[in-house]
Amino acid sequence: LLSKIEGPFFCGNRFTSADIAWAPFLERYAGQLPCLHEGLNPKCSETYPYLSKWYAAMETQVPAYACRVRGDPSSWRKVLTMAGFGNAGNVPELVASRMEELTAYEKTSLSGEKRAEQQKLWETYAASRPYVACSPDHEAAAILVRNREKIAKDVAKNGPAAFDDLDETMRSLTVILMSDDSFSEAVVKACEE
C-alpha cells in the first residue's frame, strides 16, 4: 500500500486517521518482531523502504505522537515475557538473547545531535501546550513528582522492603531528570549523598 502512495503516510503527505489506526500495531511490531524472527525489522530501510519512511515521519513530523503517544520498544518487548501472550511467561532462549542485545543498544547515550533533534521536536509539541515542561526530561520529572503518592502506593503492594528506599530513589531520579547533563559526575554524587 505505501509503495503506491507519494509521501510517507498512508494517504500521502498528510497525516490522517489511517496512520492513527495503524500506529499501535506497527509500533508493537517494530519493538517485538526483531526479537521473534531473525532479520525481521520493520524499520529496516533496505528491506521495508516505505514502512521505514512511515516510521521516520511519525517520529519526526508528528510531535504529539513522538512526544506523548509512542511507546518505547523496550516496553513492547517486555510484553513478550508475560504469561498469556502465547508463551506462558517462558521466553525462548533465542528471543531472550535478542531482547538483551536490543536493550543494551538502547542504553547507549544519545549523541548531541540526536538530543538536539528531540528537544526541537519537543519544543514544537510544547508550543501549543503551556502546561508541559520545557523538555522531555523535565516533563518526566514533573510527572514523577505529581504521581509520587500513587507510585508509593503501587510499590508498597510489593511489601515494605520495596518501599524503604523509594523516597530517596524518586528524589535522585528527579535530580537526574532535571539536570542538563543527566550523567555528569556532580549529579551522580549529589544523588548518592
Side-chain angles (χ1 to χ4, degrees):
L1 175 65
L2 287 175
S3 66
K4 297 176 183 177
I5 307 280
E6 287 192 30
F9 298 109
F10 281 101
C11 293
N13 288 318
R14 293 179 330 146
F15 173 71
T16 66
S17 59
D19 301 292
I20 293 169
W22 276 98
F25 301 105
L26 294 175
E27 181 181 309
R28 187 173 314 134
Y29 293 161
Q32 294 177 341
L33 289 178
C35 295
L36 297 171
H37 305 283
E38 185 73 39
L40 183 53
N41 180 356
K43 288 187 171 185
C44 177
S45 61
E46 293 174 12
T47 310
Y48 305 102
Y50 301 104
L51 195 52
S52 175
K53 288 177 187 173
W54 181 85
Y55 282 112
M58 289 294 287
E59 294 170 5
T60 61
Q61 297 179 33
V62 185
Y65 172 79
C67 296
R68 278 291 211 229
V69 177
R70 182 183 75 189
D72 64 290
S74 179
S75 295
W76 284 120
R77 286 193 300 274
K78 287 177 186 164
V79 172
L80 294 174
T81 66
M82 300 169 65
F85 290 90
N87 60 19
N90 299 316
V91 182
E93 184 59 37
L94 180 61
V95 172
S97 67
R98 287 182 185 156
M99 288 174 68
E100 289 170 10
E101 290 171 18
L102 292 166
T103 299
Y105 171 75
E106 289 169 355
K107 287 183 179 180
T108 58
S109 297
L110 293 177
S111 67
E113 181 181 330
K114 186 67 175 170
R115 206 161 166 76
E117 286 174 16
Q118 286 186 350
Q119 180 61 32
K120 184 178 178 185
L121 189 64
W122 180 266
E123 288 168 0
T124 301
Y125 169 75
S128 62
R129 296 166 177 86
Y131 50 87
V132 299
C134 63
S135 74
D137 293 346
H138 288 196
E139 181 68 8
I143 291 169
L144 181 65
V145 170
R146 276 195 310 268
N147 293 294
R148 184 180 172 282
E149 290 179 17
K150 292 175 185 173
I151 294 168
K153 280 184 181 180
D154 193 46
V155 170
K157 292 176 190 176
N158 295 321
F163 188 75
D164 290 345
D165 297 324
L166 179 64
D167 187 59
E168 184 178 334
T169 301
M170 286 198 295
R171 288 173 189 265
S172 296
L173 181 55
T174 301
V175 168
I176 290 170
L177 290 167
M178 294 298 293
S179 168
D180 289 335
D181 183 5
S182 297
F183 299 103
S184 73
E185 291 203 25
V187 171
V188 172
K189 186 176 180 181
C191 290
E192 289 173 349
E193 293 174 355

